[in-house]
Amino acid sequence: MTEELEIFLEDCDDQLQMMEDALVDMQSNGASESTIGTIFRAVHTIKGSAGMFGFDDIVTFAHTGENLFDSIRQGDVGVCEEMISLFLLCKDHMEVLINLLTEDKELSAAQKEVGHNLIQRLEGYLPRAQIKEENIEDIPSTIVIEAAKWHISIRFHKDFFTTGMSINSVFKFFNKVGKVLKIQPIIYNIPSIEDINPLHPYIGFEVCLLADLSKSEVEDIFEFIQEDVDLYIFLCDDSDEYNTLVSIRKEPELKNELINAKFIDEDTLIEPELIIPTVEEKEEIVLNQKEEEIVLNQKEEEIVLNQKEEEEEEIVLNQKEEEEEIVLNQKEEEEEIVLNQKEEEEIVLNKKEESSEPKKKAVSSLRVDSSKIDILINYMSEISITNSRILTLIDDEGSEIGETVIHMKQLLEFVSDGIMDMRMVKVGDSFNKFRRIVSDTAKKIGKDVDFVISGEDTELDKTVVERISDPLLHMLRNSIDHGVELPEDRVACGKPAQGRVDLRAYQDSGTIVIEIEDNGKGLDRDRILAKAIENGSVKKNNNLSDSEIYKLIFSAGLSTAETVSAISGRGVGMDVVKRNIEDLRGSVEIESTIGQGSKITIRLPLTLAVIDGFLLQVGDTKYIIPLENIKECIELTTIEQESLNGNEFINVRGEVLPLLDIRLLLGENKSITERQNIVIVYFGKKIVGLLVDELLGEHQTVIKSLGIVFDQLSGISGASVLGSGEIALIFDVARLIELRNEG
Amino acid sequence: MELDLDTEMNLDDMDDDLLVIGDSQQYLFFILAGDIYAIDVNNISEMIEYQAITKVPLMLPYIKGVTNVRGKIITVLDLRERFGLGETKLNYKTSLVITNNIALIIDEVHEVTSVEESNLKESINFGVKIERRFVKNMASYNNTHIVILDCDEVLNIKEISQKRASK
Amino acid sequence: MILDNLTALTIYEVETLQDIFILALKEQENILLDMAKIDKIDIVGIQLLLSMVSTVKASQKTIKLINVKDTVLQQIKISNTQIALGLDV
């Protein structure tokens, strides 16, 4: 790429960003002379420099946009909301055009179609006279070289429906670029009506498309939804590919389905049992073969690494009994291993640097199934455990071996931090997916809502992001449906007609906070109470505080909406929401002021897989408290202990804190230990002192599930294997605090 | 066949020693509170020596806690206590039979052998000390009748996952 | 059974409709689904109908979609689900 071109691309990036910022500003604050000016200039600049390079596609496209904005600037055409969304789409399309330049690729048929459509819509806004005869490029009637029969196998990711994308329009588009010979819906994965989550896709499609397109052109048709679909595309003539398809999909029924729908003869397919891998997890299909190779190589590398570790463990274990000179030899060997490790480390670091370089558009990112990362994390923890066991076997930390092992420990921490980092994703992508459904929902029920997202860059464990998405969507819909009033009602209360819903994310002392706030009518305390009394979850004469009453909306079967609307109000939602969040070791709270709105605050742990914890002992069992929840530890002297006797509160430097005796709570024997300690823990704004026996120090740990037998046990969220092989139980601080407050 | 309890033992290793004849199925015969009981080996993933257990509070008395089997966390259930035959008294013969990620504490492994289908019967003998619901069927074995346990019922998740009634 | 209050069968309605369907499944032996008022459907709605149809069939009952409007039928045909939905075309 020449230097000039690079400058051009960078410039375009800036211009597009400016354009987007101005459009978003326009969306919330209305059009102003300066925003219109900014956009006009941006489009104009791009058009100008693209012309210099002879990028005609960009010029034609930008030209139409420029025309329209010129008319707006002249005051001939007014700006409306649809127009702004249209311009946002245009901006996206320009980005696509420019990205293609970076990759030196041709425009696909699908992209041309998109561009054509956008131009037509732009022209629709132009005053008649403005449309000149410059008939901008026809829909590609690309010369048929050879029509190919493509098999396209489509499955959807969990969020596909909620993104608001339509598969039918893809199918319609198939017929534009070629001829659909067959569409077979794959319906055997759809659960029964009782079990189905109607918002999750279970359906799939097997399509046979006759078109003169290359494989990448077929893939491009899915460009706008590629994030949310799982595709497998191959030439129908290739019967081997059908076998691969059957093995990839891991759907026992698929083979017969393909035969019945006459995609293929029975003979061509070998028994799927023979080729279905035993791995049960759904593996992500990496479209690009190259990528796949990289993933495989990486895996191999990891395996080699593990083996090395294992070897090393053996070596060190043997060392104890062996002669000194052998020890020396092995030491060398060991050092080599450490060196290798270092190199490996560097590679990891280099890779990181590479990928974080901002200006490069073509960042080569890898799509790796998160379960693979989980496996790595598990191995990492085993390695760390083994390493610390070596350290205890050596006894003498000052020896050369000791130092080497300690060095190894540090290196391992780097690696495991690196792996953990791979699991972290920005919440922005997931949040932005809500935009569409929020605006659609609001429109549908006649509400005018300004949906404001902030903190998109906040990072969160991928699993958490995935599992929080449905609950968030539900709560957002609730806010729009029940929270924000109709425009006329708002005006009647003296509020601006447009309501506002905020979705915020930020990090706060080791937890991620997500807030949903609306400026609607707030929760109706009395109605919630009445409803709760009616369904028997609350007694008649109670003196519940406001916040306790608001909490009731998270209990089952409590929907106060008077009519069940299509959007929310089935009363099954909020309890499920709460449970989902608790499953992620998080908590949810609600604040509300009548007439002014409500705020839901969700707190989530940064990551699910690993925690830095503090190890301690209560009775016969070891426990771990996540470090992020600990404020301080206090040793109790005998005197304090006496004054404490039977007291449910403790005075720490003038601050009175509720106290929870863990031994009592867990039914441990009241053994008299020499020392007792208090660990002051907090979650959100709540603070409690935990009375425990012995403090054993910090401990980084991988969280493992205790197993289904312990599902109902509250206050303990999992377990961890210690270096000694012992198991420690992990406290769920949010639940402990709740247990204390419930008495 | 004598089982060597000093080493960990995989059932896969044992298959070689055992002949499967006709309609027969292999069972693990083990001793619990002085009587012999049997479990279908298909339910068993592994047998190991008794090892240290981490107590998990607030559970039913027969849920003894969890133990670490090669990095995996396995729930431990005292089978004697589950059947109301008193708590297991640990000795060097005490073993853990792992089935469905739950380890059952048993007093002693007796043997693994096959039982022909003709030697199985549905009716339950008088004198069986455990609740009938835990009995799948009976097997003739060395001239006596042995209870074959119904693992699904013994490990009924709804029942065993309950919390201990608070005092 | 007439889908009274609904004019569309899309992502916005499926949750409500699921409840209605579950209820109908409990109360009725042979279900006639009158689609006369429905004039919009999307893939989410189609998927729910497919789930309903196969659930009903599995429980030895019958279900039939009647008075399906042309616009709806067209959407159904695009995804070629009309046969699975038992629509005579």
Side-chain angles (χ1 to χ4, degrees):
Chain A
M1 202 185 292
T2 64
E3 206 178 316
E4 293 85 46
L5 185 57
E6 250 175 66
I7 295 171
F8 164 70
L9 292 174
E10 266 177 49
D11 188 41
C12 281
D13 264 3
D14 293 345
Q15 298 293 347
L16 287 174
Q17 194 52 52
M18 269 156 48
M19 183 173 166
E20 183 174 89
D21 292 347
L23 283 167
V24 172
D25 182 39
M26 212 181 246
Q27 243 173 354
S28 38
N29 303 327
S32 71
E33 214 167 287
S34 80
T35 44
I36 293 171
T38 310
I39 297 167
F40 177 77
R41 274 191 303 278
V43 181
H44 184 78
T45 312
I46 294 174
K47 184 185 127 180
S49 34
M52 263 165 38
F53 283 92
F55 299 139
D56 295 338
D57 286 338
I58 298 177
V59 177
T60 13
F61 188 72
H63 182 70
T64 322
E66 192 189 351
N67 276 349
L68 179 52
F69 254 93
D70 201 28
S71 312
I72 294 171
R73 224 160 48 130
Q74 314 284 341
D76 296 343
V77 176
V79 181
C80 63
E81 215 167 294
E82 279 94 316
M83 210 190 262
I84 299 176
S85 354
L86 176 62
F87 272 119
L88 279 170
L89 288 176
C90 290
K91 184 237 138 199
D92 291 344
H93 185 66
M94 288 222 256
E95 207 161 46
V96 171
L97 293 176
I98 291 162
N99 281 344
L100 281 176
L101 284 178
T102 339
E103 291 154 24
D104 211 12
K105 274 198 220 147
E106 284 290 311
L107 206 56
S108 74
Q111 286 161 342
K112 281 190 184 169
E113 171 70 14
V114 170
H116 189 76
N117 250 326
L118 288 172
I119 288 175
Q120 278 189 335
R121 286 178 62 191
L122 285 172
E123 282 175 344
Y125 287 109
L126 278 175
R128 291 241 156 247
Q130 282 259 347
I131 310 173
K132 299 156 200 162
E133 292 105 71
E134 41 176 306
N135 235 341
I136 314 124
E137 74 176 307
D138 285 322
I139 308 181
S141 54
T142 351
I143 301 135
V144 183
I145 308 161
E146 203 183 332
K149 249 164 87 181
W150 290 103
H151 185 98
I152 305 163
S153 172
I154 310 167
R155 299 294 181 274
F156 304 102
H157 294 172
K158 204 181 108 219
D159 289 336
F160 179 76
F161 286 167
T162 43
T163 56
M165 297 295 180
S166 146
I167 189 67
N168 272 2
S169 55
V170 172
F171 290 158
K172 278 188 204 155
F173 192 72
F174 280 164
N175 271 321
K176 275 189 195 151
V177 294
K179 191 168 185 296
V180 176
L181 299 178
K182 244 174 240 150
I183 288 188
Q184 182 62 24
I186 298 299
I187 59 173
Y188 43 71
N189 288 328
I190 304 178
S192 73
I193 194 79
E194 293 96 347
D195 298 329
I196 191 172
N197 177 338
L199 297 180
H200 285 179
Y202 306 91
I203 199 168
F205 291 97
E206 302 295 332
V207 180
C208 186
L209 173 71
L210 182 74
D212 26 293
L213 298 174
S214 72
K215 183 169 172 182
S216 65
E217 282 172 322
V218 177
E219 278 165 8
D220 283 344
I221 299 177
F222 293 89
E223 201 199 340
F224 294 101
I225 56 171
Q226 63 175 354
E227 290 284 307
D228 300 292
V229 292
D230 187 352
L231 296 175
Y232 192 68
I233 301 170
F234 55 88
L235 284 171
C236 288
D237 308 332
D238 195 344
S239 57
D240 282 351
E241 288 282 15
Y242 278 101
N243 285 321
T244 318
L245 173 65
V246 171
S247 70
I248 284 174
R249 288 290 181 227
K250 301 192 181 79
E251 295 165 359
E253 306 91 336
L254 182 59
K255 185 188 147 201
N256 282 333
E257 197 75 29
L258 289 171
I259 294 167
N260 290 341
K262 299 208 170 57
F263 279 101
I264 195 156
D265 298 335
E266 193 156 358
D267 310 337
T268 2
L269 278 180
I270 47 174
E271 277 303 304
E273 282 78 12
L274 295 177
I275 41 175
I276 289 177
T278 43
V279 206
E280 272 177 29
E281 293 97 329
K282 219 174 117 189
E283 253 174 306
E284 193 169 306
I285 297 164
V286 183
L287 283 174
N288 192 324
Q289 283 218 317
K290 246 191 192 165
E291 280 179 15
E292 202 161 30
E293 267 163 39
I294 296 168
V295 174
L296 281 174
N297 284 343
Q298 281 210 336
K299 239 188 173 172
E300 265 163 42
E301 270 170 31
E302 282 301 330
I303 291 164
V304 173
L305 210 137
N306 281 343
Q307 278 172 348
K308 269 183 202 157
E309 297 286 344
E310 270 160 32
E311 271 167 34
E312 202 209 353
E313 183 194 352
E314 259 176 49
I315 293 164
V316 178
L317 289 178
N318 292 337
Q319 269 174 358
K320 271 205 138 177
E321 293 120 59
E322 286 184 32
E323 294 302 319
E324 259 219 343
E325 56 172 290
I326 306 173
V327 173
L328 278 172
N329 282 341
Q330 278 167 346
K331 225 184 252 167
E332 272 171 35
E333 218 173 290
E334 212 189 26
E335 257 157 24
E336 232 176 77
I337 295 167
V338 173
L339 277 174
N340 283 347
Q341 265 246 322
K342 247 187 182 163
E343 274 166 35
E344 204 115 10
E345 189 75 33
E346 264 166 35
I347 296 170
V348 173
L349 286 174
N350 284 344
K351 270 189 194 154
K352 241 184 166 177
E353 265 165 44
E354 254 173 52
S355 60
S356 61
E357 241 175 83
K359 70 170 184 188
K360 235 185 262 173
K361 271 279 160 176
V363 189
S364 64
S365 65
L366 270 180
R367 292 182 71 181
V368 182
D369 187 340
S370 56
S371 68
K372 288 182 187 162
I373 297 179
D374 290 345
I375 292 169
L376 283 187
I377 290 171
N378 243 316
Y379 277 126
M380 269 315 298
S381 78
E382 303 282 313
I383 295 169
S384 303
I385 289 168
T386 313
N387 199 57
S388 38
R389 201 178 299 173
I390 295 172
L391 200 57
T392 52
L393 287 174
I394 291 169
D395 262 359
D396 181 8
E397 291 193 7
S399 73
E400 239 175 289
I401 295 186
E403 276 172 15
T404 319
V405 175
I406 288 170
H407 183 55
M408 170 73 96
K409 192 180 159 198
Q410 290 163 348
L411 293 177
L412 287 174
E413 271 168 26
F414 278 131
V415 179
S416 72
D417 284 353
I419 299 175
M420 289 315 297
D421 195 46
M422 285 193 242
R423 290 182 58 96
M424 304 301 276
V425 294
K426 292 188 172 147
V427 293
D429 285 348
S430 150
F431 278 13
N432 281 319
K433 280 187 183 167
F434 295 141
R435 272 189 199 281
R436 188 170 219 135
I437 203 142
V438 162
S439 73
D440 286 1
T441 307
K443 229 171 255 166
K444 198 171 165 72
I445 52 176
K447 291 187 180 172
D448 186 4
V449 176
D450 184 17
F451 181 50
V452 184
I453 293 176
S454 56
E456 295 103 316
D457 287 340
T458 315
E459 286 195 327
L460 197 52
D461 191 288
K462 184 158 177 17
T463 321
V464 181
V465 172
E466 277 164 7
R467 286 172 54 187
I468 199 70
S469 167
D470 277 358
L472 281 181
L473 185 61
H474 190 92
M475 285 186 276
L476 282 171
R477 288 216 220 130
N478 260 332
S479 289
I480 297 162
D481 201 16
H482 304 321
V484 177
E485 312 91 328
L486 288 165
E488 54 268 31
D489 296 344
R490 290 183 64 89
V491 173
C493 308
K495 291 183 180 180
Q498 189 185 46
R500 177 179 166 128
V501 174
D502 272 281
L503 178 60
R504 278 186 285 263
Y506 57 91
Q507 202 172 335
D508 174 40
S509 55
T511 57
I512 293 291
V513 182
I514 299 176
E515 291 175 349
I516 296 173
E517 186 170 7
D518 66 65
N519 64 356
K521 58 176 176 267
L523 290 173
D524 188 339
R525 181 188 181 280
D526 297 333
R527 212 160 80 211
I528 296 171
L529 195 57
K531 191 95 180 185
I533 293 171
E534 186 190 309
N535 79 6
S537 49
V538 166
K539 285 198 199 91
K540 245 199 169 137
N541 296 316
N542 55 69
N543 19 14
L544 292 176
S545 69
D546 283 1
S547 71
E548 279 167 321
I549 292 170
Y550 296 148
K551 244 188 178 164
L552 289 171
I553 67 163
F554 291 112
S555 54
L558 203 87
S559 177
T560 58
E562 270 146 8
T563 53
V564 171
S565 74
I567 287 137
S568 56
R570 296 194 308 153
V572 291
M574 290 306 260
D575 59 319
V576 178
V577 165
K578 181 162 193 249
R579 214 175 43 236
N580 283 345
I581 292 169
E582 286 179 351
D583 283 350
L584 298 167
R585 306 203 324 269
S587 73
V588 55
E589 274 169 58
I590 186 157
E591 295 161 57
S592 182
T593 316
I594 278 245
Q596 288 178 27
S598 318
K599 181 163 99 177
I600 298 170
T601 308
I602 300 159
R603 278 175 184 277
L604 295 164
L606 272 177
T607 174
L608 289 181
V610 174
I611 55 167
D612 283 316
F614 200 86
L615 190 65
L616 48 90
Q617 181 127 18
V618 184
D620 303 329
T621 309
K622 291 196 170 71
Y623 293 90
I624 290 171
I625 299 179
L627 223 47
E628 65 204 32
N629 298 123
I630 296 183
K631 200 164 168 243
E632 65 173 310
C633 300
I634 304 169
E635 196 180 325
L636 275 189
T637 60
T638 344
I639 308 156
E640 278 172 326
Q641 220 168 308
E642 272 165 20
S643 72
L644 197 71
N645 225 351
N647 236 333
E648 290 192 353
F649 290 88
I650 180 179
N651 189 324
V652 182
R653 292 184 296 274
E655 197 184 350
V656 178
L657 300 177
L659 189 70
L660 180 64
D661 188 338
I662 293 292
R663 266 208 308 243
L664 220 58
L665 175 82
L666 301 179
E668 293 279 358
N669 303 325
K670 260 247 161 180
S671 66
I672 302 141
T673 14
E674 307 257 313
R675 284 167 298 176
Q676 275 197 307
N677 290 279
I678 288 182
V679 182
I680 298 178
V681 295
Y682 65 104
F683 195 87
K685 290 175 194 150
K686 296 190 179 113
I687 301 185
V688 162
L690 303 178
L691 187 58
V692 304
D693 291 349
E694 225 172 316
L695 303 179
L696 301 170
E698 282 183 30
H699 184 83
Q700 197 190 39
T701 184
V702 174
I703 302 172
K704 297 191 172 183
S705 156
L706 267 178
I708 44 170
V709 173
F710 304 101
D711 269 2
Q712 293 176 43
L713 192 62
S714 59
I716 293 172
S717 58
S720 162
V721 179
L722 303 177
S724 58
E726 252 181 297
I727 295 172
L729 307 178
I730 300 166
F731 276 136
D732 178 346
V733 172
R735 279 307 83 60
L736 284 182
I737 292 176
E738 251 173 48
L739 287 171
R740 165 64 180 80
N741 292 341
E742 283 162 12
Chain B
M1 194 185 97
E2 278 295 314
L3 291 177
D4 182 7
L5 276 174
D6 290 331
T7 51
E8 274 185 18
M9 179 174 54
N10 267 318
L11 284 166
D12 296 345
D13 303 339
M14 293 190 302
D15 283 348
D16 303 338
D17 308 341
L18 296 160
L19 275 174
V20 183
I21 322 143
D23 284 329
S24 64
Q25 173 58 50
Q26 288 180 26
Y27 291 89
L28 163 71
F29 289 83
F30 61 92
I31 301 172
L32 197 75
D35 290 313
I36 295 182
Y37 295 86
I39 298 180
D40 185 340
V41 292
N42 286 329
N43 291 316
I44 303 173
S45 56
E46 200 174 337
M47 286 185 266
I48 55 173
E49 269 181 87
Y50 182 84
Q51 58 178 40
I53 287 171
T54 300
K55 198 169 111 186
V56 178
L58 304 175
M59 300 301 291
L60 291 170
Y62 54 75
I63 299 294
K64 289 296 167 196
V66 287
T67 193
N68 167 18
V69 180
R70 285 186 305 281
K72 256 183 115 177
I73 292 178
I74 305 284
T75 307
V76 182
L77 181 149
D78 188 334
L79 202 53
R80 270 176 81 152
E81 236 175 319
R82 171 86 170 116
F83 293 154
L85 305 171
E87 195 176 353
T88 301
K89 287 167 197 72
L90 302 178
N91 65 26
Y92 70 100
K93 286 177 177 166
T94 311
S95 301
L96 297 177
V97 175
I98 302 176
T99 142
N100 203 7
N101 279 334
I102 297 177
L104 307 174
I105 306 178
I106 58 163
D107 284 339
E108 189 182 342
V109 171
H110 190 63
E111 73 166 336
V112 175
T113 191
S114 30
V115 176
E116 276 180 57
E117 207 165 299
S118 54
N119 284 331
L120 298 178
K121 57 179 189 131
E122 294 294 324
S123 61
I124 294 168
N125 281 42
F126 183 73
V128 168
K129 287 174 188 158
I130 63 172
E131 281 179 65
R132 290 183 84 105
R133 65 190 176 108
F134 296 131
V135 181
K136 195 167 158 202
N137 44 22
M138 304 288 291
S140 300
Y141 173 76
N142 294 347
N143 301 323
T144 55
H145 291 286
I146 301 294
V147 168
I148 296 175
L149 295 176
D150 183 343
C151 277
D152 292 341
E153 190 56 34
V154 173
L155 302 179
N156 182 333
I157 276 297
K158 267 205 178 134
E159 200 182 328
I160 67 175
S161 65
Q162 279 169 22
K163 283 200 278 181
R164 184 184 299 208
S166 52
K167 295 162 209 171
Chain C
M1 172 166 124
I2 302 170
L3 299 175
D4 263 339
N5 302 316
L6 299 172
T7 57
L9 215 172
T10 65
I11 187 159
Y12 304 105
E13 290 84 19
V14 282
E15 287 177 300
T16 317
L17 208 58
Q18 181 182 23
D19 289 351
I20 298 174
F21 278 170
I22 291 174
L23 205 68
L25 194 65
K26 275 187 201 141
E27 292 173 350
Q28 299 176 27
E29 275 302 311
N30 300 310
I31 301 167
L32 265 188
L33 202 60
D34 190 337
M35 308 260 290
K37 289 189 177 167
I38 307 283
D39 41 36
K40 208 177 153 202
I41 194 164
D42 66 0
I43 189 73
V44 191
I46 292 175
Q47 179 179 276
L48 192 78
L49 281 181
L50 285 167
S51 165
M52 181 62 179
V53 168
S54 64
T55 314
V56 171
K57 280 186 182 156
S59 56
Q60 313 279 310
K61 298 179 179 179
T62 66
I63 182 164
K64 186 140 183 62
L65 276 58
I66 51 168
N67 297 332
V68 182
K69 285 195 180 169
D70 266 357
T71 47
V72 172
L73 195 58
Q74 250 161 28
Q75 289 295 317
I76 292 177
K77 275 185 185 168
I78 288 175
S79 55
N80 197 23
T81 42
Q82 67 277 16
I83 302 161
L85 289 173
L87 290 165
D88 307 320
V89 190

